[in-house]
Amino acid sequence: MIIGGGCSSHNKILKIGYFADGIWAHNAFKKIIQNPNMQISFICTRYGSNDKILAKFAKDYGIELLEDKDINSPKFIAKIAKFNCDVLVSMSFDQIFKKQLINLTPLKAINCHAGALPFYRGRNILNWALINDEKSFGITVHYIDEGIDTGDIILQKFYQISDNDDYNTLLQTAHTECANLLCQALEMMLSKDFKTTKQSSIDKYGFYCTQRKIGDEIINWDQTAREIFNLIRAITHPGPIARTTLKDKEMKISRAIYHLDAPNYKCINGAIVGLTSSGFWVKCKDKALEITEFKYDDKIKIGDRFTW
């Protein structure tokens, strides 16, 4: 499913002010710079990020490289006004755009967000999509307004999630597809042949996800096997890895298998109820979950109980 789309021929050069960071921004840069109808006028990196790849891109293509602690300051806005950009683009940037900055360019400012707006606004979206047992995740290119991830949608596309997916596989997809969708949206803006979608027309509430913090990676064995399976795969590599405690020692669990046909029964939640050639089974709220990849510096036996 794609929201938005369509473009026509054009001759104008789209001048872009690029606010960027990390692999998301690297991939998008490489696509944008290949388009003869687009020109990146400056790159503004996250303050103190020392993104060497973006710095090299700037040097190789003769693009001015900027950074500023406050991109909304009059001094910074005056600095970038001289570039006469058509649009400002945010790709994995970490500062909020305020009204004066948004209105600086004729086509305003846009952002690429790895979430299905108006749902999954906020932070750590791919993790939360897995934790919530979603069967797909969205990528949205939208106008920036004075809210957080609340602007009108230019383009949105969905990607399937299976039980074989985890944070790493979703991240790889997002790294590639965010670049593709952003470039497609810029082509649409250049052609002026597109319609936006108000987020309220999809859902009048939507929802916001908070940034995950230290402590959120601890497994609660009183949850269902499905809930724990989703947590484990949601924060596996390159995330912080799900953790639990056995005999006063920490165990890191990076992979589990959810068995739909495993029987439901009552027992002690967090108890190890079976051993396999590569791991073990642990009883959760409803049924047992098979743990297949973990790190633990001690022996494990049936009857051991996790604490949390």
Side-chain angles (χ1 to χ4, degrees):
M1 177 182 177
I2 300 179
I3 296 174
C7 62
S8 61
S9 61
H10 47 73
N11 296 311
K12 187 180 185 299
I13 298 296
L14 188 70
K15 294 192 293 183
I16 298 164
Y18 196 45
F19 293 78
D21 181 74
I23 190 170
W24 317 77
H26 305 161
N27 290 347
F29 179 94
K30 286 184 282 189
K31 290 189 69 68
I32 294 169
I33 208 70
Q34 292 172 2
N35 190 317
N37 298 307
M38 297 180 192
Q39 172 188 305
I40 294 178
S41 300
F42 69 84
I43 301 171
C44 181
T45 60
R46 290 190 183 190
Y47 186 71
S49 70
N50 191 30
D51 190 321
K52 294 181 180 179
I53 294 177
L54 285 176
K56 187 176 188 306
F57 287 163
K59 182 179 179 181
D60 290 347
Y61 290 94
I63 300 170
E64 191 161 341
L65 186 68
L66 308 173
E67 70 169 11
D68 200 282
K69 190 174 184 179
D70 181 7
I71 60 170
N72 295 288
S73 69
K75 183 178 179 181
F76 182 78
I77 291 174
K79 181 187 294 185
I80 65 171
K82 67 181 181 182
F83 292 98
N84 294 313
C85 292
D86 297 303
V87 64
L88 303 180
V89 172
S90 173
M91 177 60 93
S92 191
F93 198 69
D94 62 345
Q95 293 189 48
I96 301 298
F97 286 47
K98 295 183 180 178
K99 187 175 182 178
Q100 187 178 359
L101 182 60
I102 293 169
N103 292 328
L104 180 65
T105 54
L107 299 178
K108 310 298 183 183
I110 67 171
N111 176 55
C112 186
H113 179 74
L117 300 178
F119 311 104
Y120 291 99
R121 296 173 177 139
R123 303 291 298 275
N124 299 120
I125 299 309
L126 298 177
N127 310 100
W128 285 116
L130 288 164
I131 289 169
N132 281 317
D133 206 14
E134 297 285 3
K135 305 310 177 189
S136 66
F137 75 97
I139 294 174
T140 308
V141 182
H142 64 98
Y143 280 108
I144 297 174
D145 61 14
E146 292 186 86
I148 298 176
D149 300 329
T150 54
D152 292 352
I153 294 170
I154 300 168
L155 186 61
Q156 185 177 82
K157 187 174 180 180
F158 289 82
Y159 306 84
Q160 295 302 307
I161 299 175
S162 74
D163 275 14
N164 293 322
D165 282 309
D166 58 22
Y167 177 46
N168 186 47
T169 64
L170 263 58
L171 198 59
Q172 289 181 37
T173 298
H175 283 160
T176 299
E177 293 303 316
C178 278
N180 290 337
L181 224 64
L182 175 63
C183 288
Q184 187 177 344
L186 288 169
E187 284 278 3
M188 291 162 54
M189 295 182 74
L190 191 53
S191 73
K192 300 180 182 178
D193 183 19
F194 70 100
K195 293 181 179 179
T196 60
T197 302
K198 289 192 175 299
Q199 294 192 32
S200 59
S201 71
I202 299 173
D203 186 273
K204 67 178 181 178
Y205 299 112
F207 61 76
Y208 180 89
C209 294
T210 62
Q211 183 178 13
R212 296 189 62 79
K213 296 184 177 181
I214 293 173
D216 292 346
E217 74 280 7
I218 304 301
I219 297 172
N220 177 357
W221 295 103
D222 283 331
Q223 292 186 316
T224 66
R226 185 73 191 181
E227 289 171 325
I228 296 170
F229 165 75
N230 285 330
L231 174 67
I232 292 169
R233 66 181 179 143
I235 59 174
T236 194
H237 180 78
I241 312 298
R243 298 163 194 242
T244 188
T245 301
L246 184 65
K247 294 181 284 190
D248 296 323
K249 293 184 178 181
E250 182 182 73
M251 178 185 292
K252 298 179 181 180
I253 299 177
S254 54
R255 188 168 300 277
I257 298 175
Y258 176 77
H259 295 268
L260 184 63
D261 56 353
N264 288 22
Y265 65 102
K266 292 187 180 298
C267 186
I268 300 299
N269 297 345
I272 294 174
V273 293
L275 301 178
T276 68
S277 59
S278 60
F280 57 89
W281 292 76
V282 56
K283 177 65 176 66
C284 308
K285 180 180 179 180
D286 56 342
K287 61 174 70 175
L289 180 68
E290 185 181 2
I291 306 302
T292 58
E293 292 183 16
F294 62 97
K295 288 186 178 180
Y296 181 65
D297 187 24
D298 205 343
K299 293 183 178 180
I300 299 171
K301 65 180 187 296
I302 294 175
D304 286 345
R305 299 183 184 185
F306 291 108
T307 56
W308 62 99

